Amino acid sequence: GQQVMQIPQYQHVQEGEDFTTYCNSSTTLSNIQWYKQRPGGHPVFLIQLVKSGEVKKQKRLTFQFGEAKKNSSLHITATQTTDVGTYFCAPGGTGGFKTIFGAGTRLFVKA
Amino acid sequence: DSGVTQTPKHLITATGQRVTLRCSPRSGDLSVYWYQQSLDQGLQFLIQYYNGEERAKGNILERFSAQQFPDLHSELNLSSLELGDSALYFCASILTVRPFSYNEQFFGPGTRLTVL
């Protein structure tokens, strides 16, 4: 089945520093979604990437889908305390119904 | 507010007991997913229903079962509970006008189950 490796598992940053989390698959993905879960909250959809090499931006967040559609990244510029939480990638396989989430990267931001 | 409701919010019970968790999807959404999230862990996919039918199974124990009713709400039944079943249980719903994996999932607030 679909497996992804998400790194790092944890990241501590000082407010204002940048942050990047990576999601890597051994197989080609049809699409990939990113979710954010605030502490004590539920996962919330951020974005979906479908095309090879796609780059999407949401304010300080930049999402990339690799050319080979096997990896993706989420980059946050100048982190703020509101960015605290766990970021999950959720790859879409080819034709499968299942949703596999990456293990998540937990972001801690120190003010 | 995602529009997905889950009840109860918290549940405390003893080992060996049986509980039922309930999920109401967003209005119009036909598919429901169930996930288990243990403390500071990732989301483990349990099972998916679409319009009343089971569509996919993940790492769901035999002690667990689920169903989706004609009004599209879903219930997750957990029996012979063990300490290790303590976790957050989320349901998520999707509309499914596209292939499943292309739909964003809307998560409910979760049910926190504590087994003592």
Side-chain angles (χ1 to χ4, degrees), chain A residues 76-88:
Chain A
I76 302 178
T77 303
T79 54
Q80 299 175 359
T81 54
T82 54
D83 296 324
V84 163
T86 302
Y87 294 85
F88 294 99

Side-chain angles (χ1 to χ4, degrees), chain A:
Chain A
Q2 198 75 56
Q3 296 287 342
V4 287
M5 174 84 69
Q6 196 172 347
I7 54 172
Q9 190 176 2
Y10 301 97
Q11 183 83 58
H12 292 257
V13 300
Q14 196 75 31
E15 189 173 26
E17 291 181 341
D18 292 356
F19 159 77
T20 304
T21 174
Y22 301 89
C23 189
N24 300 312
S25 170
S26 58
T27 59
T28 302
L29 305 173
S30 58
N31 64 314
I32 192 161
Q33 297 174 347
W34 286 91
Y35 291 78
K36 176 184 178 182
Q37 183 177 21
R38 293 181 187 273
H42 58 273
V44 175
F45 175 82
L46 293 177
I47 209 157
Q48 173 166 261
L49 304 171
V50 178
K51 298 177 184 175
S52 167
E54 189 169 14
V55 178
K56 286 188 176 180
K57 293 191 175 185
Q58 289 179 351
K59 297 183 181 178
R60 295 178 295 103
L61 277 61
T62 301
F63 303 84
Q64 293 190 340
F65 202 9
E67 293 290 341
K69 298 182 75 173
K70 289 185 176 182
N71 51 67
S72 181
S73 64
L74 158 58
H75 179 82
I76 302 178
T77 303
T79 54
Q80 299 175 359
T81 54
T82 54
D83 296 324
V84 163
T86 302
Y87 294 85
F88 294 99
C89 64
T94 49
F97 298 109
K98 299 180 187 181
T99 296
I100 305 298
F101 280 74
T105 295
R106 189 161 182 183
L107 174 64
F108 299 86
V109 180
K110 187 175 181 182

Side-chain angles (χ1 to χ4, degrees), chain A residues 10 30-31 33 35 37 41-45 48 50 88 91-93 96-103 106, chain B residues 2 33 35 37 40-43 45 48 55-58 88 90 98 100-105 107-109:
Chain A
Y10 301 97
S30 58
N31 64 314
Q33 297 174 347
Y35 291 78
Q37 183 177 21
H42 58 273
V44 175
F45 175 82
Q48 173 166 261
V50 178
F88 294 99
F97 298 109
K98 299 180 187 181
T99 296
I100 305 298
F101 280 74
R106 189 161 182 183
Chain B
S2 66
Y33 291 77
Y35 294 91
Q37 186 175 45
D40 291 336
Q41 297 295 309
L43 293 157
F45 167 69
Q48 180 204 0
R55 277 305 182 99
K57 247 182 179 177
L88 259 174
F90 288 106
R98 296 172 285 178
F100 290 107
S101 71
Y102 287 84
N103 286 268
E104 67 176 274
Q105 296 188 38
F107 282 79

Side-chain angles (χ1 to χ4, degrees), chain B residues 4 6 23 31-35 90-94 105-108:
Chain B
V4 179
Q6 287 188 250
C23 169
S31 190
V32 169
Y33 291 77
W34 284 98
Y35 294 91
F90 288 106
C91 77
S93 75
I94 61 175
Q105 296 188 38
F106 294 87
F107 282 79

